[in-house]
Amino acid sequence: MKKLAQRFPHTCRLLGDEHLAMLTCNTDQESGPWPEPRLFGVASSDAYPEPFFADLSAVESAYDAVRQRTHDLRPPEHGAVINPLLDLVAVRYDVTPFFIEEPHDAITDIPVIEQEGWIVVWKGPVSGRIYVEYADQQMLLVLKLLADGEDALALKGKELLTYLDALDHAARKGIILKAHSLIARDVERSSDDKPLSGRFLKASVFTLQWHLTNRCDLHCRHCYDRDQLSPLRLDHARAVLDDFASFCHEKNVRGHICFSGGNPFLYPHFFALYAEAVDRGFATSVLGNVVSGAELERLTALIKPDFYQVSLEGLEPHNDFMRGEGYYRRVLAFLDLLREHGIYSVVMLTLTGSNIDQVIPLAREVSGRADYFTFNRLAQVGEGSDLSLPDKDRYREFLATYLDLADSTPGIGIKDNLFNILRKERDEPYNGGCTGFGCGAAFNFFALLPDGSVHACRKFPSPVGVVPQSRLSELYDSMAAKRYRRGPESCQDCSLAPVCKGCMAVVHGMGLDVFHDRDPFCFLRSEGRGTT
């Protein structure tokens, strides 16, 4: 019985010595299922005291089979495949609690419920551990489509998004093997030999921030682009969507389209284009102004955006001076409307020398009303060139105070890459900065302007090409994009470069060279830079 107990430990413990004694023949087979009770000359009801016995022994048999098998678990170059070290077991009872590493006083204390379905048993491609999990509908959908070789792109809209989310979830678990993202930094460690989290080196999502139109119902004093560019025709916009889908497939990433403007709702084909983006499986978000309840309902009828971002520039008097009389209260009411519709809300502030003392009071003011609050520094571009930034020492002092607040207050976000200098000084884990990867200009992000011109960053002129005349993959691999991706030469030897490189828009706005000069607000003290 020794080998049987090794291969079916839970089953044997459940049966106990009395029932195991009924097994009168040699059962020390090296593999295969639990022996049929008829082989031992006993009735099934006598040999199997629990109704879930057959399911438990079947799952243990699959567990043993997966444990003994070997296979190359490298992911494919593109797409996804089912983990070859995986078995699917049909069951009437959920026996997965037997495989959870939690103490029980007795094996009979383990809870089992009657639930007809499937249990997945697989070996983790990284950990090498064996996992056992009851399969939900999304997991079964992924396994079915991959096993049948069906084209998931035949799905549309919410069904496709559900499938893609399930695919990502299954890949994180190791149930499927998914091609590695090709949007990756070419470094693995910072220059001071401190290991960097993998989440800063490889992007699984690429964002296309699409400024559909420069038309706007506001006239903000810091607007960086009031040029009246002719927007793309709907057929050209559809071609961009198709090209973006091809780009994401080539680079093995999910696509996220952030619709912005101006006011994106003023683009004449906004809802049609939004619907087509959803049909292609892109995640969506909106960076815009306050809109009516009817417009918001029309949007959510297609699909809720991942988030809706609005802007405030300080407390009510200063904000309304910058954005227009009454806009502060309109935004607060709109945040309530977003919450009623179940849409995640973000408030963004553009920091200047005039409102730096209002950032933290505003963050506290909207806390609990907005889901997330953050800020970035003014880029002195366009009409923003008439405004000023705070001095460097004042800004550093502010960052330290704000970081303390963010670390202790849910929903207060940090976006400026320079926060990582403070993280380094405090020996704390780095954060993702502006786009989750330090400066994401032309890395995991492109800005698409109304006329089809593509820029590395929206906040300053950083052209890399034009669509649909050129393909996004060509623009991404171009020398122009690579220069923006590399960032300033003065940052290349910095240990924080992979998670920082400052803000090139600020560098440009202050009249410096974005390919050479570091952010004038950088206050890093080490690495031969003195006390800055």
Side-chain angles (χ1 to χ4, degrees):
M1 298 292 179
K2 182 178 180 181
K3 291 181 181 177
L4 198 67
Q6 290 174 343
R7 296 180 52 238
F8 298 89
H10 300 303
T11 304
C12 289
R13 285 180 61 207
L14 185 65
L15 283 175
D17 294 340
E18 180 180 350
H19 286 88
L20 281 173
M22 296 181 183
L23 308 184
T24 57
C25 70
N26 179 15
T27 57
D28 272 358
Q29 67 264 40
E30 297 286 346
S31 62
W34 180 267
E36 291 288 339
R38 59 182 174 78
L39 297 177
F40 314 122
V42 294
S44 178
S45 59
D46 293 330
Y48 298 170
E50 298 288 353
F52 56 81
F53 181 93
D55 289 342
L56 178 59
S57 62
V59 173
E60 286 203 290
S61 177
Y63 189 106
D64 182 63
V66 169
R67 179 182 60 82
Q68 294 190 55
R69 292 206 306 264
T70 59
H71 203 283
D72 183 357
L73 294 181
R74 284 178 295 184
E77 291 187 3
H78 289 285
V81 296
I82 296 173
N83 184 335
L85 300 183
L86 176 147
D87 274 353
L88 197 60
V89 183
V91 295
R92 289 179 53 214
Y93 292 86
D94 180 4
V95 295
T96 57
F98 281 92
F99 302 89
I100 297 174
E101 295 179 0
E102 294 181 358
H104 294 279
D105 293 336
I107 195 166
T108 54
D109 294 335
I110 296 177
V112 175
I113 60 173
E114 187 171 1
Q115 186 174 6
E116 189 168 354
W118 298 85
I119 287 178
V120 184
V121 183
W122 76 98
K123 181 179 287 187
V126 176
S127 68
R129 290 181 54 193
I130 310 297
Y131 299 92
V132 179
E133 188 170 314
Y134 191 88
D136 59 21
Q137 291 303 310
Q138 291 187 0
M139 190 184 299
L140 292 174
L141 172 65
V142 168
L143 293 174
K144 180 181 185 303
L145 289 180
L146 291 179
D148 294 345
E150 296 182 27
D151 186 2
L153 295 180
L155 302 173
K156 285 188 176 182
K158 295 178 182 178
E159 288 185 347
L160 179 54
L161 284 166
T162 297
Y163 170 76
L164 293 174
D165 288 343
L167 196 71
D168 286 343
H169 185 64
R172 287 192 294 270
K173 286 179 173 289
I175 290 171
I176 66 155
L177 307 179
K178 188 179 178 185
H180 290 313
S181 167
L182 299 181
I183 304 296
R185 299 288 194 194
D186 58 0
V187 295
E188 294 183 358
R189 307 179 76 84
S190 59
S191 61
D192 60 359
D193 206 37
K194 181 178 180 180
L196 290 170
S197 169
R199 70 187 181 94
F200 299 136
L201 303 177
K202 187 172 291 187
S204 60
V205 177
F206 190 93
T207 296
L208 186 67
Q209 189 182 95
W210 196 340
H211 296 258
L212 296 173
T213 177
N214 278 356
R215 290 180 59 200
C216 190
D217 47 331
L218 302 177
H219 193 138
C220 303
R221 294 176 183 268
H222 62 303
C223 182
Y224 43 74
D225 190 355
R226 300 290 298 181
D227 292 341
Q228 294 305 306
L229 304 176
S230 298
L232 294 176
R233 302 194 322 246
L234 183 57
D235 58 333
H236 286 174
R238 288 194 185 106
V240 171
L241 289 178
D242 290 336
D243 182 39
F244 188 41
S246 296
F247 171 85
C248 292
H249 175 73
E250 292 173 21
K251 300 297 185 183
N252 298 330
V253 292
R254 295 280 300 273
H256 168 217
I257 298 181
C258 184
F259 290 101
S260 188
N263 182 348
F265 285 78
L266 297 180
Y267 176 65
H269 310 296
F270 170 69
F271 288 103
L273 194 62
Y274 187 91
E276 297 223 21
V278 171
D279 280 346
R280 287 164 174 79
F282 295 126
T284 58
S285 60
V286 177
L287 272 60
N289 301 338
V290 172
V291 297
S292 69
E295 288 172 305
L296 200 58
E297 288 175 6
R298 187 176 175 187
L299 182 73
T300 57
L302 296 170
I303 200 167
K304 291 179 184 178
D306 286 356
F307 63 88
Y308 195 119
Q309 178 178 301
V310 290
S311 294
L312 288 173
E313 306 309 330
L315 299 175
E316 186 171 3
H318 182 76
N319 177 82
D320 288 0
F321 171 74
M322 294 293 293
R323 288 189 167 265
E325 189 68 27
Y327 194 68
Y328 184 88
R329 293 184 181 273
R330 288 178 62 198
V331 168
L332 294 187
F334 187 63
L335 292 174
D336 294 338
L337 188 62
L338 290 172
R339 177 153 295 185
E340 290 175 14
H341 284 80
I343 299 174
Y344 191 90
S345 61
V346 177
V347 171
M348 171 66 74
L349 175 142
T350 299
L351 185 144
T352 68
S354 300
N355 69 0
I356 187 171
D357 292 326
Q358 299 183 40
V359 178
I360 290 176
L362 179 64
R364 290 180 171 137
E365 179 76 16
V366 301
S367 179
R369 205 162 193 167
D371 293 299
Y372 192 79
F373 172 89
T374 192
F375 73 90
N376 57 22
R377 279 174 287 158
L378 169 75
Q380 294 169 296
V381 177
E383 296 184 10
S385 61
D386 294 330
L387 304 178
S388 63
L389 286 160
D391 67 63
K392 180 178 178 178
D393 291 338
R394 175 70 185 94
Y395 187 60
R396 177 181 181 171
E397 177 186 339
F398 162 79
L399 287 182
T401 303
Y402 184 94
L403 182 58
D404 291 338
L405 175 68
D407 285 344
S408 62
T409 309
I412 305 297
I414 51 179
K415 184 176 177 67
D416 196 311
N417 295 328
L418 299 187
F419 277 114
N420 276 323
I421 302 177
L422 293 176
R423 294 287 198 199
K424 180 182 177 72
E425 291 176 353
R426 299 178 182 187
D427 197 27
E428 297 174 349
Y430 300 141
N431 66 277
C434 186
T435 67
F437 300 86
C439 177
F443 174 64
N444 65 321
F445 175 94
F446 268 156
L448 175 58
L449 273 55
D451 61 354
S453 58
V454 178
H455 288 245
C457 173
R458 181 62 181 106
K459 293 174 62 182
F460 75 104
S462 48
V464 296
V466 179
V467 293
Q469 291 88 330
S470 298
R471 298 182 64 238
L472 286 168
S473 59
E474 296 170 353
L475 299 184
Y476 188 85
D477 295 331
S478 68
M479 288 305 301
K482 289 177 181 178
R483 289 191 74 193
Y484 288 111
R485 208 149 48 234
R486 178 174 172 81
E489 287 300 321
S490 58
C491 292
Q492 298 309 311
D493 293 331
C494 176
S495 64
L496 291 178
V499 290
C500 184
K501 298 180 185 174
C503 177
M504 286 194 287
V506 170
V507 172
H508 173 86
M510 297 182 74
L512 302 174
D513 183 349
V514 298
F515 299 120
H516 180 269
D517 298 319
R518 66 186 174 112
D519 190 323
F521 285 80
C522 175
F523 52 90
L524 187 63
R525 291 177 176 270
S526 59
E527 303 167 10
R529 293 182 175 178
T531 59
T532 66

